[in-house]
């Protein structure tokens, strides 16, 4: 993974110094709340319900074991001994003290980490596929370009105060796993007809209050122009994005208002001025960064391992875990492993300091000392030998990190919700926990099969509910908490936004509602059909009928 | 004590800013009880009545809103020729209007950009375009809600003078111009990104 040179280190060190002084001035009363707000936000610090929340950047989800240990230590020392992995692959601390944040940042800087631009109206952490570089369907490893873009976007002077937040995702696979269509800019890398690396550029996607999937603004962009082209897009947005209404300020609203043709025309006109300028990426710079992402020193292994095959045949629990929690790898004899942060009845994405240390040890022992966070809020060991899987499983299981539910109903994507977040309309974690307990039966979960259930506590949609096969949105009705249900949303190349099935439900009703949706699916599905396929084929009608019919009968 | 920073030093402000009078009630736009709203690009700033009622000092260097200049071109032509007129635009006023008003934008010794509230980041793009697209070479000043925590970005976007908000210390603000030693990306002040500026291959 990328390692800082003296320049990178100086920037994070200077940032710590700058933020320390900003905090000092705020505490001394020299900065008003309103003046401090964008400053702390651009450093990932929210003022929450109980305490501030600090969002630490995990660039494109990559972490070293050393960094994870440091995060574990920070969570222990400055928080309550746990952290929360978010849907933007970042780590959030729920209970730090505002005055401790400069110290936390100083500690982070010692392991080449920071909290720069993890919030605020600026370019946020750039996200990508958690299986970058190892996925068999990968065409381009997008991480070097993601790092080049991270550096470019860090303290970008022109885009320091945009109309609203700005999210970029990059992907280099045939099967999109980075939800590029749900981002302000999505960059899809591919090889063009001349076998050169090119980018398909999506713009104007986003979830939130007004969910819209992105539109292709350019089918073919040479990779050298990624920065200048993004500058042209963001410049048009910075000047013309709505600043008169915070709810209509995302780029998607501007793109819809102008139409993609007119928006594209303005971007191309702007780009003509800066194309081939100094921010054009050179081969040398890409090469310098790409050296940090060379393939791991893999052993030459056969595609099968006798010990692994035996364990698989003789141990059903291990076999279930392998089926759900390991993933194919480009390199023969290796698998990627997802450590589930979704044990039933616990807050999705949460991890204790002790678990962080254990995962760091596992990464050192089995996976070259590196790991990744996924936008589904799990941790990935990307490079594990088949012969190590059984030993790894036993250790992970003992630490509560081997629930074989990846991709199943209880692998719920969930925002922190009303328990922590001051923006939330409703709690989300207790809903996730209640659903997990309702379906706390692995055989049943496996029978239901692949399904994605996403929960957001408000329309800001941090839990990506719009693209969940089942989406749950917390809403406020006359001061009490209700939940609106959508079905038919999906991430990936054929992304779609879910459809609301009808009036909202109380928290107590939610496990039963999900149960009834599943009943319709199990009754109606054809062989090989996943929940999403059945939902798309039938539409919402039969689901709606069953969910509400039973309610009225009660 | 002056609150004007120019080229890394505190200097005396020689310019008098001319502001049209407020006639009638000012409308403050709010959302969810907070003043979070900004004027849309292209929204008019002053009415014809306000422009007509504007008092312009008879002598000295004057900083005029573009619309006030446009209403007084002939009367003030001599002072313009003498280098006594600077133009102020607000962040929501289109730059094309400014460019269309002057055959040579470098006739102006000073362009000031007014930012009503500091989170309005249009000011950065405006600075950039004035320098890189319109070729403005003279003093480019940020006025209004100008605070030290935005100075580094303003500098990188092409500004070289900053009138710090009256209730804040320009002395303290000076330090923020040096917040970062080697920024990553190319911008107006240094066009080269760090990888073209320095040899990073063995840094």
């Amino acid at each position: 993974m990328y390692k800082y040179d003296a320049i990178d280190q100086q920037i994070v060190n200077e940032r710590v110094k700058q933020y320390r002084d900003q905090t000092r001035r705020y505490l001394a009363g020299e900065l008003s709340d309103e003046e401090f707000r964008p400053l702390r936000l651009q450093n990932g610090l929210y003022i929450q319900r109980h305490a501030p929340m600090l969002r630490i950047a995990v660039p494109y989800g990559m972490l070293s074991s050393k960094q994870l240990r440091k995060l574990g230590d920070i969570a222990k020392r400055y928080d309550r001994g746990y952290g929360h992995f978010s849907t933007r692959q970042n780590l959030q601390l729920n209970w730090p003290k505002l005055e401790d944040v400069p110290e936390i940042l100083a500690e982070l800087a010692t392991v080449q980490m920071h909290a720069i631009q993890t919030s605020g109206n600026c370019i946020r952490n750039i996200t990508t596929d958690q299986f970058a570089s190892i996925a068999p369907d990968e065409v381009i490893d997008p991480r070097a370009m993601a790092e080049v873009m991270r550096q470019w976007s860090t303290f970008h002077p022109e885009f320091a105060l945009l109309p609203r937040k700005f999210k970029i995702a990059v992907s280099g696979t045939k099967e999109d796993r980075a939800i590029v269509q749900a981002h302000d800019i999505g960059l899809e890398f591919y090889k063009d007809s001349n076998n050169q690396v090119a980018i398909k550029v999506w713009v104007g996607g986003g979830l939130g209050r007004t969910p819209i999937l992105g539109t292709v603004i350019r089918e073919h962009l040479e990779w050298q122009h990624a920065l200048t082209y993004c500058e042209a897009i963001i410049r048009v947005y910075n000047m013309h994005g709505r600043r008169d209404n915070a709810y209509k300020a995302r780029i998607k609203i501007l793109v819809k208002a102008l139409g993609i043709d007119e928006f594209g025309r303005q971007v191309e006109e702007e780009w003509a001025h800066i194309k081939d300028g100094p921010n054009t990426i050179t081969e040398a710079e890409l090469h310098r960064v790409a050296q940090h992402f060379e393939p791991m020193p893999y052993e030459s292994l056969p595609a099968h391992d006798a010990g692994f095959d035996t364990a698989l045949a003789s141990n059903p629990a291990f076999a279930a875990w392998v089926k759900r929690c390991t993933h194919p790898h480009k390199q023969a004899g290796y698998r990627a492993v997802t450590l589930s942060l979704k044990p039933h009845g616990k807050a999705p994405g949460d991890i204790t300091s002790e678990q962080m240390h254990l995962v760091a040890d596992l990464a050192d022992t089995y996976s070259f000392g590196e790991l990744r966070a996924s936008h589904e809020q799990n941790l990935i060991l990307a490079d594990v030998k088949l012969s190590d899987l059984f030993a790894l499983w036993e250790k992970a299981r003992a630490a509560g990190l081997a629930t074989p539910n990846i991709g199943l109903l209880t692998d719920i994507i969930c925002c922190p919700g009303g328990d922590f977040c001051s923006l939330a309309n409703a709690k989300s974690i207790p809903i996730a926990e209640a659903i997990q307990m309702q379906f706390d039966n692995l055989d049943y979960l496996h029978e239901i099969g692949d399904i994605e259930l996403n929960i957001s506590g408000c329309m800001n949609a941090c839990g990506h509910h719009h693209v969940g096969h089942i989406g749950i949105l917390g809403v406020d009705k006359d001061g009490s908490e209700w939940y609106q249900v959508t079905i038919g949303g999906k991430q990936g190349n054929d992304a779609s936004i879910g459809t609301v099935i009808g009036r909202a439900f109380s928290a107590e009703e939610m496990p039963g509602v999900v149960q009834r949706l599943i009943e319709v699916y199990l009754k109606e599905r054809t062989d090989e059909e996943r929940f999403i396929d059945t939902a798309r084929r039938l539409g919402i009608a039969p689901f709606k009928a069953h969910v509400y019919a039973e309610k009225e009968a009660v | 004590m002056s609150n004007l920073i120019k080229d890394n030093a505190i200097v005396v402000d020689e310019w008098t800013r001319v502001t049209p009078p407020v006639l009638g009630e000012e409308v403050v736009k709010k959302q969810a009880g907070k003043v979070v709203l900004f004027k849309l690009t292209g929204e008019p700033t002053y009415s014809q009545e306000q422009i007509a009622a504007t008092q312009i000092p008879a002598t000295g260097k004057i900083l005029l809103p573009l619309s006030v200049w446009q209403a007084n071109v002939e009367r003030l032509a001599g002072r313009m020729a003498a280098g006594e007129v600077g133009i102020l635009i607000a962040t929501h006023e289109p730059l094309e209007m400014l460019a269309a008003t002057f055959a040579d934008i470098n006739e102006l010794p000073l362009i000031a950009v007014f930012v009503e509230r500091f989170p309005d980041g249009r000011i950065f793009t405006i600075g950039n375009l004035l320098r890189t697209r319109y070729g403005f070479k003279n003093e480019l000043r940020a006025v209004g809600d100008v605070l030290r925590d935005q100075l580094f970005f303003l500098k990188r976007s092409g500004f070289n003078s900053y009138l710090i908000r009256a209730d804040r210390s320009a002395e303290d603000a000076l330090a923020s111009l040096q917040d970062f030693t080697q920024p990553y990306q190319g911008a107006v002040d240094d066009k080269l990104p760090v990888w073209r500026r320095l040899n990073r291959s063995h840094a």
Side-chain angles (χ1 to χ4, degrees):
Chain A
M1 63 187 278
Y2 187 74
K3 298 206 173 48
Y4 282 9
D5 66 7
I7 293 164
D8 301 299
Q9 190 64 49
Q10 184 174 32
I11 284 175
V12 294
N13 291 349
E14 286 172 339
R15 172 53 165 181
V16 173
K17 182 168 168 257
Q18 181 193 41
Y19 190 74
R20 196 187 291 282
D21 187 59
Q22 289 169 343
T23 305
R24 178 194 66 72
R25 282 186 279 136
Y26 173 67
L27 293 172
E30 294 170 29
L31 278 172
S32 68
D33 284 342
E34 201 194 338
E35 288 160 10
F36 186 52
R37 189 169 177 275
L39 305 180
R40 65 172 164 76
L41 285 178
Q42 303 222 339
N43 204 46
L45 189 70
Y46 286 75
I47 300 296
Q48 293 288 43
R49 230 154 252 242
H50 310 291
M53 181 274 277
L54 179 65
R55 184 181 293 150
I56 297 165
V58 181
Y60 37 92
M62 292 292 301
L63 276 170
S64 70
S65 55
K66 188 178 170 192
Q67 290 174 329
L68 189 60
R69 281 193 194 95
K70 176 60 83 177
L71 292 172
D73 292 343
I74 288 173
K76 188 121 219 150
R77 178 153 178 208
Y78 297 99
D79 205 290
R80 297 191 179 175
Y82 70 96
H84 170 80
F85 278 100
S86 78
T87 52
R88 291 203 62 73
Q89 303 177 292
N90 291 318
L91 183 88
Q92 301 184 168
L93 296 176
N94 283 318
W95 308 92
K97 290 200 190 74
L98 188 142
E99 48 272 40
D100 284 341
V101 171
E103 257 337 283
I104 296 174
L105 297 182
E107 294 225 18
L108 288 172
T110 66
V111 292
Q112 310 189 347
M113 295 187 84
H114 59 76
I116 296 163
Q117 290 169 214
T118 52
S119 179
N121 296 334
C122 51
I123 303 172
R124 303 285 190 88
N125 186 28
I126 292 163
T127 51
T128 191
D129 173 19
Q130 67 265 33
F131 300 118
S133 85
I134 59 116
D137 73 333
E138 182 170 271
V139 184
I140 312 282
D141 179 352
R143 294 175 302 167
M145 282 296 285
E147 175 59 26
V148 169
M149 298 196 71
R150 180 192 75 81
Q151 297 190 13
W152 158 81
S153 63
T154 299
F155 302 128
H156 195 296
E158 190 180 340
F159 307 136
L161 292 163
L162 295 170
R164 203 67 182 84
K165 60 187 170 183
F166 204 90
K167 298 177 176 179
I168 300 177
V170 299
S171 157
T173 50
K174 291 201 182 81
E175 184 64 37
D176 169 49
R177 283 181 292 269
I179 3 179
V180 294
Q181 293 182 47
H183 284 77
D184 296 284
I185 292 179
L187 301 177
E188 191 182 327
F189 288 83
Y190 66 98
K191 289 263 179 80
D192 68 12
S193 52
N194 297 321
N195 209 33
Q196 298 295 309
V197 176
I199 308 169
K200 184 179 194 174
V201 184
W202 299 77
V203 72
L207 300 175
R209 189 176 287 261
T210 314
I212 296 176
L213 293 176
T215 316
V216 176
I217 185 169
R218 209 166 215 285
E219 287 284 351
H220 182 272
L221 180 73
E222 294 169 318
W223 62 267
Q224 292 88 340
H225 302 302
L227 302 184
T228 55
Y229 197 76
C230 286
E231 278 184 341
I233 292 174
I234 305 174
R235 179 174 288 174
V236 170
Y237 168 58
N238 191 37
M239 285 309 282
H240 301 294
R242 287 185 62 169
R243 291 173 188 266
D244 63 322
N245 183 335
Y247 304 135
K248 295 184 174 173
R250 294 284 292 270
I251 194 174
K252 60 194 171 189
I253 306 291
L254 180 66
V255 173
K256 281 284 168 211
L258 291 176
I260 188 67
D261 292 341
E262 172 58 17
F263 181 78
R265 189 195 64 72
Q266 292 189 16
V267 168
E268 292 287 324
E269 192 179 302
E270 200 51 55
W271 188 47
H273 292 283
I274 53 179
K275 182 173 184 276
D276 299 319
N279 283 331
T280 307
I281 306 165
T282 57
E283 291 272 3
E285 174 60 6
L286 184 64
H287 177 69
R288 180 188 76 82
V289 176
Q291 282 178 319
H292 294 276
F293 299 101
E294 298 266 297
M296 292 298 181
Y298 297 117
E299 292 172 36
S300 286
L301 296 172
H304 287 278
D305 178 83
F308 170 71
D309 289 342
T310 308
L312 208 55
S314 61
N315 189 326
F318 177 61
W321 179 77
V322 168
K323 184 176 173 201
R324 296 314 313 189
C325 300
T326 75
H327 317 274
H329 199 292
K330 272 179 184 170
Q331 181 74 23
Y334 284 83
R335 289 273 174 100
V337 168
T338 298
L339 298 170
S340 173
L341 300 185
K342 315 288 181 68
H344 296 171
K346 296 264 176 63
D350 274 12
I351 181 168
T352 66
S353 290
E354 290 73 22
Q355 285 175 322
M356 287 189 232
H357 275 270
L358 182 108
V359 172
D361 293 344
L362 294 178
D364 282 341
T365 311
Y366 301 114
S367 195
F368 302 104
E370 290 187 6
L371 58 142
R372 296 114 183 265
S374 68
H375 82 263
E376 288 95 350
Q377 304 175 284
N378 294 305
L379 289 176
I380 283 85
L381 299 175
D383 304 288
V384 182
K385 283 190 275 189
L386 286 177
S387 56
D388 286 336
L389 283 172
F390 191 79
L392 167 60
W393 172 66
E394 288 192 306
K395 291 180 193 172
R397 193 161 75 139
L401 294 163
T403 312
N405 64 345
I406 299 308
L408 298 178
L409 183 63
T410 56
D411 184 12
I412 296 171
I413 294 181
C414 182
C415 73
D419 291 301
F420 298 102
C421 178
S422 52
L423 302 174
N425 289 325
K427 295 186 186 69
S428 50
I429 292 169
I431 304 301
E433 291 171 348
I435 293 167
Q436 287 173 333
M437 295 321 288
Q438 170 91 12
F439 290 90
D440 187 25
N441 175 331
L442 284 167
D443 292 336
Y444 188 45
L445 285 174
H446 284 272
E447 193 198 329
I448 298 165
D450 288 319
I451 183 167
E452 294 174 14
L453 191 153
N454 300 358
I455 308 176
S456 305
C458 76
M459 72 295 267
N460 288 308
C462 295
H464 299 170
H465 64 276
H466 301 108
V467 291
H469 304 172
I470 298 175
I472 299 174
L473 166 66
V475 292
D476 175 273
K477 272 205 304 200
D478 305 325
S480 59
E481 299 181 0
W482 292 81
Y483 297 88
Q484 193 179 67
V485 175
T486 53
I487 61 170
K490 190 177 178 301
Q491 57 170 322
N493 301 59
D494 57 342
S496 56
I497 304 285
T499 308
V500 177
I501 63 165
R503 67 153 193 84
F505 304 95
S506 69
E508 298 72 50
E509 292 175 296
M510 280 315 301
V513 169
V514 175
Q515 179 72 53
R516 286 188 283 273
L517 291 172
I518 296 301
E519 285 164 9
V520 175
Y521 161 63
L522 292 177
K523 176 160 165 279
E524 299 290 344
R525 73 175 169 189
T526 62
D527 293 350
E528 304 298 311
E529 228 179 26
R530 299 164 301 174
F531 179 91
I532 181 66
D533 303 317
T534 308
R536 282 182 167 178
R537 178 169 56 83
L538 298 177
I540 65 166
F543 293 92
K544 183 175 179 161
H546 188 51
V547 167
Y548 290 97
E550 279 205 18
K551 280 193 61 60
E552 272 140 38
V554 169
Chain B
M1 182 70 186
S2 168
N3 240 20
L4 179 68
I5 297 174
K6 187 179 173 190
D7 300 330
N8 297 316
I10 296 172
V11 297
V12 173
D13 189 359
E14 300 172 339
W15 294 85
T16 303
R17 183 174 152 201
V18 175
T19 308
V22 178
L23 303 173
E25 266 181 58
E26 260 193 301
V27 183
V28 179
K29 290 192 214 158
K30 291 187 177 181
Q31 189 172 46
K34 280 190 277 187
V35 183
V36 291
L37 309 178
F38 301 85
K39 290 192 179 73
L40 279 173
T41 301
E43 242 178 82
T45 312
Y46 301 111
S47 66
Q48 288 307 316
E49 293 73 28
Q50 283 178 289
I51 293 166
T54 304
Q55 300 289 321
I56 299 173
T59 58
K61 294 185 171 182
I62 46 174
L63 179 57
L64 301 180
L66 180 61
S67 51
V68 173
W69 162 256
Q70 286 168 329
N72 291 280
V73 176
E74 284 170 26
R75 187 152 75 89
L76 298 174
R79 295 179 71 182
M80 175 63 85
E84 289 183 353
V85 179
I87 294 295
L88 179 134
I89 56 164
T91 49
H92 63 278
E93 293 173 345
L95 277 179
E96 293 79 7
M97 267 169 50
L98 176 72
T101 308
F102 300 95
D104 175 8
I105 203 170
N106 283 310
E107 275 178 71
L108 296 169
L110 168 70
I111 295 176
V113 184
F114 172 70
V115 61
E116 189 175 352
R117 289 200 317 284
F118 74 91
D120 185 352
R122 286 176 289 197
I123 192 170
F124 305 124
T125 292
I126 290 170
N128 185 313
L129 291 176
L130 279 170
R131 292 297 193 200
T132 64
R133 189 73 40 85
Y134 296 100
F136 184 61
K137 296 188 177 70
N138 303 323
E139 181 177 347
L140 182 57
R141 179 183 295 188
V143 303
D145 199 13
V146 178
L147 302 172
R148 68 176 279 184
D149 295 295
Q150 284 76 50
L151 282 200
F152 188 76
F153 297 135
L154 287 168
K155 176 176 89 166
R156 298 222 67 211
S157 299
F159 289 85
N160 70 323
S161 81
Y162 322 89
L163 184 61
I164 302 297
R165 204 173 76 191
D167 62 334
R168 295 299 153 89
S169 154
E171 196 80 46
D172 290 350
L174 266 178
S176 290
L177 287 170
Q178 318 300 333
D179 274 350
F180 296 95
T181 315
Q182 290 293 353
Y184 280 124
Q185 60 296 100
V188 180
D189 62 336
D190 191 336
K191 292 184 176 44
L192 301 181
V194 69
W195 78 80
R196 290 185 197 263
R197 214 182 298 142
L198 305 169
N199 183 357
R200 290 191 84 176
S201 56
H202 42 71

